[in-house]
């Protein structure tokens, strides 16, 4: 249940930012999207690892991706919050496709990981 609430909140944040809708919830939902999506994508790639380690790496990756994106946009004098949200969405989607191709969908698939050796 909490997972779907988070997914809907992140999707709403992306839509609000991309459509340039002025609402009091915009800063909260957009920040939630920018912080959760990159981290969740990286955690999805590390799903057979220690959960605490995966969450730590996901949080660090989320911060790194957002800071590098902001630095690149400032360096090239191309600051645009809408472009930043779109870029994070594309990177998150790319990592989701990468996870799907690399790991499969997880059903009827025997995974080999650190725990199965």
């Amino acid at each position: 249940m909490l997972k779907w609430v988070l997914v809907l909140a992140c999707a709403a944040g992306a839509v609000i930012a991309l459509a340039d809708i002025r609402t009091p919830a915009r800063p909260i939902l957009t920040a939630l999207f920018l912080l959760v999506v990159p981290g969740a994508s990286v955690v999805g790639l590390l799903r057979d690892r220690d959960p605490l380690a995966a969450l730590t790496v996901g949080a660090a990756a989320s911060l790194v991706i957002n800071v590098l994106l902001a630095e690149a946009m400032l360096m090239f004098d191309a600051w645009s919050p809408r472009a930043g949200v779109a870029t994070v969405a594309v990177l998150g989607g790319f990592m989701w496709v990468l996870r799907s191709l690399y790991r499969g969908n997880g059903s009827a698939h025997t995974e080999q990981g650190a725990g199965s050796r």
Side-chain angles (χ1 to χ4, degrees):
M1 178 70 177
L2 181 63
K3 175 184 170 182
W4 291 109
V5 170
L6 189 61
V7 167
L8 288 175
C10 287
V15 168
I16 287 170
L18 292 173
D20 200 23
I21 298 170
R22 301 288 177 198
T23 177
R26 180 181 176 159
I28 295 168
L29 293 175
T30 304
L32 185 70
F33 172 80
L34 290 172
L35 293 174
V36 170
V37 168
S41 300
V42 170
V43 168
L45 292 172
L46 302 173
R47 67 181 182 191
D48 63 338
R49 306 287 185 226
D50 175 42
L52 182 60
L55 286 174
T56 304
V57 170
S62 183
L63 291 173
V64 166
I65 288 169
N66 282 302
V67 167
L68 288 177
L69 177 61
E71 285 287 329
M73 288 183 354
L74 287 172
M75 186 170 56
F76 293 113
D77 198 25
W79 181 258
S80 170
R82 292 172 70 186
V85 169
T87 303
V88 169
V90 168
L91 286 173
F94 174 73
M95 285 190 268
W96 178 77
V97 168
L98 185 65
R99 182 196 67 84
S100 297
L101 292 175
Y102 181 68
R103 302 279 188 167
N105 61 6
S107 63
H109 184 272
T110 305
E111 293 188 25
Q112 285 186 324
S116 64
R117 291 181 189 170

